[in-house]
Every structure is written in C-alpha cells, then in structure tokens.
Amino acid sequence: MTGPETVRRKDVRATRTGRTALRVLTVAGVPALLVISWQLYSTVSENFYVPAPGRVARAFAETWFSERLLDDVLPSLARLLAGYALAAAAGVGLGVAIGLSPRLRAAAEPVLEFFRAIPPPVLVPLIMLLAGIGDGTKVLVIASGCVWPILLNTVEGVRALDEVLSDTCRMYGVRDLSRLRHLVLPGAGPQIMAGLRQALSIGIILMVISEMFASSSGLGFTIVLFQRGFQIPEMWSGILLLGLLGYVLALLLRRLERRVLSWHHGRGVGRA
Amino acid sequence: MLEVSGLRKVYEGRRVEALREVTFQVDAGELVCVIGPSGCGKTTLLRCVAGLMPPTAGSVKVAGAAVTGPPPRMAVVFQEYGRSLFPWMTVRQNVELPLKEKKVPAVRRNELVAGSLAAVGLADVADAHPWQLSGGMQQRVAIARAVAYEPQVLLMDEPFAAVDAQTRADLEDLILVLWRDMGVTTLFVTHDIDEAVYLGQRVIVLSGSPTVVMEDLKIDLPPERDQLTTRSLSRFADLRGHLYAQIQRARGDR
Amino acid sequence: MRRGTGFRVAYGAAGLGGLLVALEAVSRLGPVDERFLPPASEILRALAAELATADLWTALGETMWGWALGLAIAFCAAVATGMVIGSVPGLRAATHSTVEFLRPIPSVALIPLATLLFGASLGSTLLLVVYASFWQVLIQVLYGVADVDAVAHDTARSYGLSAWSRIRHLVWPTALPYVMTGLRLAAAVAFILAITAELVVGSPGLGLSIQAAQSAGAVTTMYALVVLAGLVGVAVNAGVRALERRVLAWHPSVRGEAPR
C-alpha cells in the first residue's frame, strides 16, 4: 500500500527540485554566462581597460567598504534624496493646483513644455552660477531637474480624473481637502508614480554630474578621480556601485508603488 | 417633493438646444420613470435636476428649495458603475465616505453601512475592492451607497443599461424593495420601456430633441410587482404598446 | 468642459509673456544680481546674435548628429533584440533578470569609461546616447511583443504563416504603438545624454559651447544657449510626436504608454 504513495511523493519532490533548478537557471543563467565571458575576455585579451572580474570585485570591497562609504557615498545619497523629496513636494503640489484649474493649465502649458525640454544637465553650470558650489547647489540642481516630469505627470493625472467620479464627489458633498485626499491624489496616483519614476533616473544623472563638475567629494567626483589616475579596477568598481544604486533605488520605488497603487495593479490596468 | 418647471438647456459652445421646456413634478414617496428616444437629453435633464449643471432657464425645486448646486439630501446612481466607485477604496469605504463627509457619528455610520450592504446582499464582500466584483455587484455597491446616505430624493441615470438581462431583473426587484421599505422619492431615467412600466408608478415620456414632455402616464398596475406575473398582465402589454408607439412618434417628429 | 484652441493660445501666450516679464523684472529691479541673471530681453538679444554666427550652427549640427546617429543605432539594435527575445520561447524569461538589472543603471556611470575610450569626441556621445536610449526602446518592444493576441497568433499559425510573415503581419503591427512610445521616450533621453556628454566629457556640440560660455564668464551667452537647448528639446519632442501620430494614424487604438 505504501509503495505507490512513496513513489508519488518522491515524484513530487523530484519535480519540485527540478522546478527550483529551472528557476535558478532562468534567473542566473544569462548573468553567469556574461560574467564568464568577461573573465575569458580579460584573460585572453590583456586589455588594460578591461580588468578581470575578480580584480574589480576586490577593488570594490577595498574601495567602498571603507571610510569612503561615509565620506562620499552617503552624502551623495543624502543630497539625492533631499533634492528628490523637494522636487516631489513641489511637483505634486504645483501639479495639483495647475491640473485643477483649466485657466492656469492653459497659461502654464507652453512654459512647462519649454522647461521640461531643457536638458537637465545644463542646469548644473546655471545653478552653480546663481548659488555657488555648496551642498545646497547640488540639492537645488537635483530638485530643479526632477521637478518637471513629476509636475507634468501630476497635471496630466489631475486633468484626466474621471468625470463620473468627480460628479459622485459633488453629489455626496465630498469637497476641498477630503476631495483632494479621496479623489484627486489617488486618482492621479498612477500618473504621479510614473512621474516619480522618470524623475528618479534624472535625479541620479544629476547627482553624478553635479559632483563631476564642481566638488571635492561624492560618488561622481571619486569615480572621475579614479579615471584621471588610471585606477581602472577602482573606476569599474565605481561604475558597478552606481549601477547597483540605480538598481536598488528603482527597486525600492517599485516596491513603494506596488504598495501605494495596489488597487491599480489589482485592476489589471498597470502591468508591473 | 421634486418640482421641475420650464427647464431649458442650451449648450453654449455647440449652440445645441438639449431641453426646450420640461415641466413635471414628483410627489413625496413616488417612483417616477423618465423615458425617451435615445439622444433626447435624458442625461442632461438628470444632471440639471441633480444640480451638476446649471439650466439655461427654468428651475428645479427639491422640497420647495431651489436647486443651485448638488442638494444636500439627494443621491445619484450613475449608469457607469465602473467609474462611479472609488477603485482605491474597499466596498465599505465607498459606502462610508459620504457619511463621513456628512459628519454622521461613527456608531450610526457603521449601522447604516452594515444595514445598506446587507439590504443589497453584499454584507460578505464589504472588504473587497470594487474591481474584484462583477458589474451587477458593483452597481449594488453604488445603490448601497445611495441608500446609506438616507436621501430625500434618489436619482437613477440608466443604472442597469450596462448589465446583463438576468442581473437586470434582480436589480429591478431590489430597487422596488428598497423603494418600498424606505419610501424615498425616486426619479428613474431609462431607455427601456419595459423597465419603466415595470418599476414606475408614473412614466414621463420625453419627445425627441428639442425636448419637451410628451406625456405623463399613470401606470395603473397593482402595487405588488413581480417579474413573472406583472409582466404577463394584459394591462402591462397595453401600457407597453402605448409607450412604444409614443416613442416611435417622438422619433418620427425629428 | 471643452474649450477652443483660441482659449489655449490666448492663455498660453499670456503665460509665456508673464514668464518673460517676471524674468525681466527680477533682474532689473534687483532681487537677483543682473550679472547672474540677465534680463530676458538681453538673453533673447544674445540668442539672436548667437544664431547669426557660424560656430553656433556647427555646434548645433554636431549635437543633432550625435543625437540622431546614437538614437538610430539604439533603435535598430533594440528593435532587433526585442523581436528576437520576444519571439523565441523561453528567452524572455532567461534574459529578464539581466534586462531588469542593466536597465536602471544610470548611463552617466559610463562617463569615465567613455572619457578613457574615446576622449572628447563623438564616440563618447554615442556611447552614452546609445546605452541610455537602447533600454527605453527595448522595454517597449518587449511589452509590445507580449501584447500579441494569443488567438490571433494561433490563427496565424493555423493558416500556416511562416515565422517571418508572422513577425511582419502580426507581431510588428501589434508592437508598433509600443515601439513608437519607446522611440518618443528614447528621443528625449538621447537629447539629454548628448548634451551631457558634451558638457561633462567635452565632446564638441551645444553642451560644450555652454560649458565654454560659463568658463569664460559670458553669462548672457550661456543663458541664451540654455534657452536654445530648451527650444531644440521642444522641437525634438514635437517632431517625434508628429512622427508617432503619422505612423499610427491607421492604427485602430491609440494606446497609452505602457508602464515601465
């Protein structure tokens, strides 16, 4: 009696291990392949600019798990977050105001289109001129670059609020602050999050560039320093760190979005 | 309870005369249906009555007070159930929000929410989100929200136009039960002649555009209505045939 | 409430006019020093003067060439890659983790590498532009290919369409709106990165001119060039949008942007 039972259980276990193995292979297969070819290339070619992955990994540990983490990486991140938060507050605030008023919107539209189209990096020399080269300038640069996508997306989201829902609010006396809280902000939420996503990549770009331009510390500055000193493995480790930062920040934002917009994704409207 | 007199609406930009002269009234506790050929301004009429849109001329009065904006004790059930519920709120929150705005104390609020959800048969899905429910169930949520609001006047804008036939019959009976229990004055706009005859104590027939009231017909069917027996009465067929001819005439006039 | 174009033009002009007057006033009346923020009229005059010089047009040409070439390379590579990944079963899943990891890497991380490999030349611009715009297009292509209706796909198979005709008549038309969205996003990003490369690495172009004006203390010229960069950006956006509308004019559904 126990015979077929055990066999079946073994089968189940076997397929389960098989499935896990398959999943590991799908997730890690291509990356592993890439690292292996990198290793092969670096041993074969002796290209000065392409050090072996092991060498870069060592440089990564030595370079970034040191006081540099406190002196360069964290201040950079703090400036990024400060600028980003500033942009989010200003962008959503102004965006709601502009989105709710057809007149204001019509008046602001060409101006906003123009400001959005200015490539954010040119703000670096401009704001340096106006505000010097301190921390404040960098925060301001990041904020003034990030604010446009957030602002424009918020305006668009508020403008496109569902009319039936809007009428429903009017009928049931939902107005002013609670209209903002229950209708406007959640209704524009998907668009606002899209703006925040676009702004994040701009923010990282500006964080790096503002430090490359005029700074004596920070992630961008350090990487350029390595490049000028031909410390190639260290430079690569910096590129890697920036990549990791970009990845982790995007991941965090996506987590936040899943939480905030769970209703939206649940509806099957937003595809994650 | 509801007085509509000399209502006229011309859309400014397009210079379209949607309503020419609409006059009728609904007594307290009455259920009156409004029908008319498609494009005859039924929705415009309802939006003017609801105070969502200012009329060009004429007036709407609720309990003697002129309507200039959405009146405090009026509830609307829109046709687009998918768009009239807040997708980011649960069913319970959707029903509760208007009560919070009215500053109903928490205890009474819970009573009203639970009571109205039970009345529409949705007590067990109170914590679901609207998009997890079928179309008919979503419209029930909108009805529960209107009921919990304890309105003097209930407006319904083709509420069952977008649900399937079986669901529609169920919802019609639900409306009859709720109306009888609450005694709320109800104006029910529909394009469906059968539905108007089945639900209404009176049916107001609108003409084609530019719109006037063509007929104000009393539905002399027994007050107890039932999908099977009421609909098979010969009087039902008479009324239905009469209204059908009227709508055809309204269409032809254009 | 629908309002006419007249309304929009009138208010839009008022908005722009208001901005110019405010800039003029802030500078002339003194909250901000005129040396740091010249009056709007001066900036516009400087812009007109710059537009009369051959150097400016050379710089602008170099920027646009880097932009167009980089965008074209990234677009072709991304469409080809996306079609292959999307059409070969299993490949989408296998490459998912890699794509998701590489995509958010800020392209400015490659600035040091570009400096080392290409120095202050077109190569640096291209490296940054191609990297940044490649992902924008690729992601949209992948969304588009995934959007192909399963029934339509089965139909095509049952009528014995070859793999190539399936891509040509089914996959490509379905993916086209997404591809155009990708192109629109990529065009904007490519312009940003082209200017960035010039500004930071020093490749020739508008960005370098801005950098030069700043170092030389030619503040008004710098503002004029920034305004020009903005105007070019507006033109780029408008151009790509017009192209999108043209290409998709026949399309039954005008799709929104697929979430990234």
Side-chain angles (χ1 to χ4, degrees), chain A residues 103-246:
Chain A
R103 281 160 210 281
L104 207 53
R105 199 167 66 230
E109 211 161 50
V111 176
L112 293 183
E113 281 297 327
F114 173 71
F115 276 111
R116 172 171 67 168
I118 295 180
V122 307
L123 296 171
V124 179
L126 212 144
I127 291 179
M128 260 166 49
L129 187 76
L130 286 169
I133 51 170
D135 274 352
T137 300
K138 289 177 196 118
V139 171
L140 204 61
V141 163
I142 293 169
S144 48
C146 291
V147 75
W148 307 109
I150 303 177
L151 177 58
L152 279 147
N153 274 286
T154 308
V155 169
E156 192 46 41
V158 172
R159 189 191 64 79
L161 283 179
D162 195 295
E163 284 166 34
V164 177
L165 216 47
S166 216
D167 282 349
T168 304
C169 278
R170 284 182 65 193
M171 283 318 297
Y172 289 115
V174 180
R175 58 178 88 86
D176 304 330
L177 264 184
S178 65
R179 183 165 186 272
L180 190 69
R181 190 176 138 212
H182 295 299
L183 173 70
V184 178
L185 288 180
Q191 286 272 17
I192 294 177
M193 289 309 297
L196 287 174
R197 229 160 30 207
Q198 288 170 22
L200 181 63
S201 37
I202 292 179
I204 296 174
I205 289 179
L206 289 177
M207 172 188 86
V208 174
I209 294 181
S210 65
E211 290 167 359
M212 285 179 173
F213 237 84
S215 195
S216 51
S217 71
L219 200 44
F221 169 78
T222 316
I223 294 175
V224 171
L225 202 66
F226 290 144
Q227 171 236 316
R228 297 220 173 107
F230 288 97
Q231 295 168 274
I232 305 301
E234 285 77 9
M235 180 193 89
W236 272 104
S237 79
I239 294 179
L240 208 63
L241 180 64
L242 268 181
L244 274 173
L245 273 182

Side-chain angles (χ1 to χ4, degrees), chain C residues 160-235:
Chain C
L161 263 64
S162 69
W164 173 243
S165 339
R166 279 209 301 273
I167 288 191
R168 201 172 122 57
H169 296 295
L170 180 65
V171 179
W172 176 249
T174 310
L176 195 56
Y178 293 92
V179 173
M180 291 313 293
T181 302
L183 181 64
R184 175 158 53 79
L185 297 173
V189 167
F191 184 58
I192 294 178
L193 267 297
I195 295 280
T196 304
E198 295 158 8
L199 202 61
V200 182
V201 185
S203 318
L206 198 54
L208 183 61
S209 309
I210 293 176
Q211 158 71 9
Q214 191 233 355
S215 334
V219 175
T220 315
T221 310
M222 186 185 84
Y223 274 97
L225 293 175
V226 167
V227 169
L228 181 64
L231 293 177
V232 174
V234 170

Side-chain angles (χ1 to χ4, degrees), chain C residues 121-186:
Chain C
S121 72
L122 182 64
S124 291
T125 310
L126 287 182
L127 178 65
L128 297 188
V129 169
V130 169
Y131 186 86
S133 26
F134 177 79
W135 301 109
Q136 301 279 354
V137 180
L138 178 68
I139 290 301
Q140 296 293 333
V141 174
L142 289 178
Y143 277 133
V145 174
D147 197 40
V148 173
D149 188 51
V151 176
H153 204 265
D154 289 346
T155 312
R157 280 177 71 103
S158 71
Y159 281 105
L161 263 64
S162 69
W164 173 243
S165 339
R166 279 209 301 273
I167 288 191
R168 201 172 122 57
H169 296 295
L170 180 65
V171 179
W172 176 249
T174 310
L176 195 56
Y178 293 92
V179 173
M180 291 313 293
T181 302
L183 181 64
R184 175 158 53 79
L185 297 173

